[in-house]
Amino acid sequence: MIFETHAHYEDKAFDEDREELLKSLPENGIEYVVNVGSEFETLDRILEIAGRYPFCYAAVGIHPGSTDKMDEEKFALLKEKAKHPKTVAIGEIGLDYYWDGPDRSTQKFWFEKQMELARELALPMIIHSRDAANDTYELMKAAHAEEIGAIIHCFGYGVEQARQYLNMGFYLGIGGVVTFTNGRKLKEVVEYAPLEQLVLETDCPYLAPVPNRGKRNSSLNLPYVAQEIARIKNVPYEKVLEITYNNAKKFYKLED
Ligand code: NI
């Protein structure tokens, strides 16, 4: 039982073999997949995948890097897509100061607006935050995000920031980076964080774990991530799968 909490199977990297690959996931132990939105233009494809495969769900949202292309009209449409029966979260939303743009005030505007939407629709959030630890934390605190719920996806900060987010009750999304030899900071975070607040993710097609680093990623690589978490925390592999699976089901409100 593996819960893939963050994938991008709508990406053109999967155009050649999307159907074949998705069909193969359940027989390889991947029981749930959440495909996460990043730009407005691909949201329909994510919902279409969710409609076609019973184990696929959708998160709709605008990545901070795409916020300069947003307007009120698109936001109204986004809201409708968020009401789709298979939409389980708003994401990925947040702040990214690594790149030159969009400018920070634009990113903040749409981050706040999408947090409000998440609250209004009672959907949890998937947060993308890069080189923006303080602003992300401050905006989430101001929005009382602890009442909404969030996964801090592809967690890239240190133990001190992890502590702040964990104290607010958020989950940390752990992916391929934890297997990298230069992933020491994330290994420390995984050691520190309770297993009850970790979830597994690929962010595929990106960030394939060792031994497939650099290749196209897919949910089939999640066992490598879980094995590394098990090693770091010195717990059985099956326990990592079970607890992270339960965490994700609870987070996305998919309890049976
Ligand atoms: Ni992503």
Side-chain angles (χ1 to χ4, degrees):
M1 39 154 68
I2 292 177
F3 198 128
E4 158 73 281
T5 63
H6 192 123
H8 299 285
Y9 284 112
E10 82 288 358
D11 194 285
K12 58 181 180 322
F14 297 107
D15 279 355
E16 299 275 295
D17 60 346
R18 180 176 295 108
E19 189 173 349
E20 201 185 335
L21 178 59
L22 283 171
K23 272 187 181 160
S24 77
L25 296 183
E27 65 206 50
N28 284 286
I30 313 294
E31 287 194 31
Y32 288 92
V33 172
V34 175
N35 281 306
V36 180
S38 49
E39 50 187 358
F40 182 79
E41 288 66 27
T42 53
L43 296 178
D44 282 339
R45 209 179 315 160
I46 288 172
L47 289 172
E48 190 208 317
I49 293 171
R52 193 177 315 167
Y53 300 91
F55 61 94
C56 286
Y57 290 80
V60 307
I62 306 301
H63 185 286
S66 304
T67 49
D68 54 345
K69 293 184 233 94
M70 275 306 281
D71 55 39
E72 293 295 337
E73 197 182 325
K74 285 181 184 166
F75 185 73
L77 292 169
L78 175 91
K79 187 170 171 176
E80 288 313 305
K81 298 177 201 303
K83 291 175 184 165
H84 187 284
K86 290 201 84 178
T87 299
V88 291
I90 298 294
E92 53 191 287
I93 61 173
L95 300 173
D96 192 326
Y97 296 167
Y98 177 80
W99 305 99
D100 253 345
D103 66 69
R104 293 181 181 190
S105 59
T106 303
Q107 293 191 33
K108 286 179 183 174
F109 177 82
W110 291 105
F111 183 26
E112 286 178 320
K113 212 166 157 67
Q114 292 183 93
M115 282 199 282
E116 278 169 37
L117 178 65
R119 175 183 294 280
E120 186 187 330
L121 300 181
L123 290 170
M125 306 181 292
I126 302 166
I127 304 295
H128 171 104
S129 177
R130 190 173 186 193
D131 289 355
N134 286 339
D135 281 2
T136 305
Y137 181 69
E138 291 305 326
L139 288 191
M140 289 183 81
K141 236 172 46 173
H144 292 282
E146 73 281 2
E147 299 166 1
I148 308 171
I151 290 173
I152 315 296
H153 133 75
C154 195
F155 192 79
Y157 301 128
V159 167
E160 187 50 35
Q161 283 94 351
R163 188 181 59 79
Q164 289 185 314
Y165 287 118
L166 292 167
N167 284 345
M168 285 177 85
F170 301 147
Y171 294 88
L172 309 182
I174 308 299
V177 175
V178 78
T179 67
F180 296 175
T181 39
N182 58 354
R184 193 174 57 88
K185 194 165 71 165
L186 185 57
K187 290 178 202 282
E188 285 170 9
V189 167
V190 166
E191 190 177 4
Y192 170 79
L195 195 49
E196 287 68 24
Q197 282 179 272
L198 300 183
V199 292
L200 302 180
E201 64 172 38
T202 54
D203 205 19
C204 65
Y206 312 106
L207 295 171
V210 173
N212 293 321
R213 189 174 181 178
K215 297 184 189 157
R216 185 187 71 171
N217 199 4
S218 85
S219 311
L220 298 172
N221 284 321
L222 282 171
Y224 297 116
V225 174
Q227 276 157 15
E228 181 60 10
I229 295 174
R231 189 194 65 78
I232 292 167
K233 299 191 85 60
N234 197 23
V235 296
Y237 169 70
E238 286 73 22
K239 191 177 168 190
V240 172
L241 296 191
E242 187 191 337
I243 306 234
T244 55
Y245 176 90
N246 290 337
N247 294 344
K249 269 187 92 172
K250 189 171 144 201
F251 176 79
Y252 288 122
K253 300 179 189 134
L254 290 169
E255 281 179 285
D256 12 51

